[in-house]
Amino acid sequence: QVLDTGTDPQTHLPYMAMEFLRGEDLSQLIERVGPLPPEVVMKIAAQACLGLQKAHEAGAKVFAQRGYHAARVDDVVKMAKTSHGTFYLYFASKEDLFLFFDHAAATEMAALAGEFPVIEPGAEGRAAIRAWLERFQDLYERSGAVIRTWTEAEMSDTEFGRIGGDL
């Protein structure tokens, strides 16, 4: 159970206070039993990937619905139906989660821009530009919240705005 969350006023780092649970963490387990069998490692990795996937999916929806500035970690946690502890296991902050989408969108957009076709007159040229625009539309549908945030962030001179402005 989460007892308290917030940001340390001196370091500006997020913190979370939870009830004490008895047991061992993964490093203690490995220290106690040695290397884990592959099937156990795969099960642990699958659980971690599922938690990360839920956070990514929820984060994408929250950023798209509320916008970057209005989105909160609480919103992501509620949508993912997970705990603050799980969120902070993977991300230090809302900004850290957004950076995942930010860099992924920037990488995809740069790659797509590099594939812009040479447009020849005639049907082949129109088909080439139409195919490229369909790919751009697909990318925009998946990354529209990030692109909108770049626009907002350019106005406030943040790291996100600089990444979007570099494209």
Side-chain angles (χ1 to χ4, degrees), residues 69 140 144-156 160-161 164-165:
H69 295 293
Y140 189 86
V146 173
I147 296 167
R148 287 187 297 278
T149 299
W150 286 339
T151 304
E152 292 173 29
E154 278 189 276
M155 291 182 248
S156 61
F160 303 139

Side-chain angles (χ1 to χ4, degrees), residues 14 16 19 21 39 47 49 54 59-60 95 102-103 113 118 131 152:
M16 177 175 50
E19 66 179 307
L21 298 175
E39 61 273 7
Q47 290 172 353
C49 289
K54 286 174 74 172
E95 292 79 11
D102 195 46
H103 291 295
V118 173
E152 292 173 29

Side-chain angles (χ1 to χ4, degrees), residues 108-148:
E108 275 192 85
M109 289 197 77
L112 185 59
E115 296 169 9
F116 192 82
V118 173
I119 303 175
E120 300 290 336
E124 286 183 20
R126 286 190 298 276
I129 192 69
R130 188 173 292 118
W132 188 90
L133 286 171
E134 286 173 1
R135 291 177 54 213
F136 177 81
Q137 180 181 2
D138 178 58
L139 174 59
Y140 189 86
E141 286 174 5
R142 287 182 284 112
S143 303
V146 173
I147 296 167
R148 287 187 297 278

Side-chain angles (χ1 to χ4, degrees), residues 58-73:
K61 288 177 185 173
V62 168
F63 288 133
Q65 291 171 355
R66 297 188 59 119
Y68 172 77
H69 295 293
R72 301 171 307 145
V73 170

Side-chain angles (χ1 to χ4, degrees), residues 1-5 15-21 83-86:
Q1 177 183 10
V2 176
L3 303 175
D4 188 28
T5 61
Y15 70 85
M16 177 175 50
M18 298 179 67
E19 66 179 307
F20 178 75
L21 298 175
S83 69
H84 282 83
T86 299

Side-chain angles (χ1 to χ4, degrees), residues 43-103:
K43 186 175 182 178
I44 292 168
Q47 290 172 353
C49 289
L50 182 60
L52 194 55
Q53 178 185 1
K54 286 174 74 172
H56 282 159
E57 289 171 354
K61 288 177 185 173
V62 168
F63 288 133
Q65 291 171 355
R66 297 188 59 119
Y68 172 77
H69 295 293
R72 301 171 307 145
V73 170
D74 284 343
D75 302 324
V76 175
V77 167
K78 285 178 187 168
M79 187 163 288
K81 296 180 181 158
T82 189
S83 69
H84 282 83
T86 299
F87 179 90
Y88 287 113
L89 180 64
Y90 300 109
F91 307 101
S93 62
K94 168 181 89 169
E95 292 79 11
D96 193 30
L97 171 61
F98 187 80
L99 278 173
F100 166 80
F101 298 112
D102 195 46
H103 291 295

